[in-house]
Amino acid sequence: MRGRRVPRDLAAARRLTWFREYTDGVTLSGTPNGDWNGRSNVMQRSRVGVVGAGRVGAVLASRLRAAGHEIAGVSARSDASRLRVATLLGDVPVLEPQAVAARADVLLLAVPDDVLGDVAEDLAPHVRAGVVVLHTSGRHGLAVLAPFAAAGARTIAFHPAMTFTGTEVDLDRSCVVGLTAGDGERELAEALAADIDGTPVWIAEVDRTTYHAALAHGANHLTTIVAQAMDLLRGIGAEDPAAVLRPLLHAALDNTLAYGDAALTGPVARGDVSTVRAHLDAIDADTALAYRALAAATATRVGAQEVLDEVTAS
């Protein structure tokens, strides 16, 4: 994996190059091909369609519009999605997915992993040759977009490695974007990543699942652990569990990102078997399941055999 920031002016230049190729002999938005000034405006303002106005799709649409792209339409089935569109995108038209696909020069699919393949099969007949199609899945690479590629589209796996709320809070956050693309789409993919203030990191097709597992394990499971810790503190009367945990968690995360296993402190690292046993006796059964599993993993990494024996005992 390799990450580097792409400056916005370079991103714009790359879009110019791509659209010069894409619009050769083609008229977009009623702009005559012979008018260079008109064409340069078109090249910097692609028509983006977004299928799936969930937490990710609505935010990315807003950021792409802020970067100068036109949002030609979005699909939004639920009341929550339509509210996001109204809040973040205003009067952008809400359309059926097929209509969004037909309007777009760049089609962004922000749908759940398990339905992405079906969505690709359904929408591929509605795109024009040369259209850029990207999805926001971390797990999937280019293979899931094969129906679009067969229709002549240019495909990109475009995963923003960030947790989204689907609100304005997300609009100022930057993140890594996990990219997979063919050689002909690499510069365009990096330019689009720069448009959302992202740092591109290239992921091989065969490594997408491992890449996504690393992010889910590090971030999603962190949420569960922290929520359980907050529940325990709340249960003993802490009025603001977040305030109790925040300094410790920030320090632990920063130290681990800098030093890896060497940052570990606490009873497992010290081999304090009696403390680990007392913890397991004091907490609820659901939290104890997670505690045992993570204490065992921690003990294995630091070679704390006595602790490992304790937490894995039936």
Side-chain angles (χ1 to χ4, degrees):
M1 298 194 306
R2 177 172 57 86
R4 58 188 177 89
R5 177 78 65 183
V6 179
R8 286 189 177 275
D9 55 350
L10 178 57
R14 288 175 172 174
R15 285 201 307 278
L16 290 175
T17 300
W18 171 67
F19 273 109
R20 183 181 299 118
E21 296 171 355
Y22 180 68
T23 58
D24 186 21
V26 179
T27 299
L28 295 178
S29 303
T31 302
N33 286 348
D35 180 353
W36 171 253
N37 290 329
R39 286 181 68 193
S40 68
N41 288 335
V42 171
M43 286 186 277
Q44 293 192 61
R45 286 179 52 81
S46 56
R47 289 168 57 84
V48 176
V50 179
V51 174
R55 294 183 181 185
V56 178
V59 170
L60 294 186
S62 180
R63 298 197 72 159
L64 288 168
R65 184 171 66 174
H69 299 283
E70 176 189 352
I71 307 303
V74 300
S75 71
R77 296 190 182 280
S78 69
D79 290 341
S81 292
R82 286 189 287 271
L83 178 60
R84 289 189 195 97
V85 173
T87 303
L88 296 176
L89 299 172
D91 58 356
V92 167
V94 177
L95 308 168
E96 289 298 311
Q98 294 83 355
V100 173
R103 286 185 169 208
D105 302 323
V106 175
L107 179 63
L108 176 68
L109 306 179
V111 300
D113 288 356
D114 287 352
V115 302
L116 181 55
D118 291 338
V119 171
E121 291 280 358
D122 183 52
L123 296 185
H126 300 276
V127 302
R128 304 182 308 279
V131 164
V132 175
V133 180
L134 50 156
H135 69 67
T136 61
S137 169
R139 169 193 167 196
H140 289 292
L142 299 181
V144 74
L145 298 178
F148 288 108
R154 305 172 70 182
T155 57
I156 299 170
F158 187 92
H159 175 248
M162 177 53 63
T163 180
F164 287 83
T165 66
T167 68
E168 292 180 351
V169 171
D170 301 325
L171 299 181
D172 294 326
R173 288 176 171 167
S174 60
C175 66
V176 158
V177 183
L179 299 174
T180 304
D183 291 343
E185 285 69 54
R186 288 177 70 92
E187 288 192 354
L188 173 61
E190 290 191 346
L192 289 169
D195 281 343
I196 65 166
D197 198 25
T199 300
V201 170
W202 287 97
I203 312 296
E205 179 82 5
V206 296
D207 293 332
R208 293 289 300 194
T209 300
T210 303
Y211 154 79
H212 192 234
L215 301 186
H217 188 47
N220 302 153
H221 298 166
L222 175 64
T223 298
T224 299
I225 295 166
V226 174
Q228 287 180 332
M230 291 174 67
D231 287 345
L232 291 174
L233 290 171
R234 197 175 289 113
I236 62 171
E239 294 183 2
D240 189 353
V244 176
L245 289 170
R246 185 174 288 111
L248 174 63
L249 296 182
H250 275 297
L253 180 58
D254 288 344
N255 290 344
T256 303
L257 291 174
Y259 304 113
D261 288 331
L264 188 65
T265 63
V268 174
R270 294 190 298 266
D272 291 340
V273 177
S274 62
T275 298
V276 172
R277 186 181 301 121
H279 288 174
L280 290 169
D281 289 340
I283 61 182
D284 62 275
D286 287 342
T287 303
L289 286 174
Y291 188 108
R292 281 185 183 276
L294 289 168
T298 303
T300 299
R301 294 183 72 91
V302 300
Q305 187 61 47
E306 289 187 26
V307 175
L308 181 61
D309 292 343
E310 173 67 26
V311 297
T312 57
S314 58

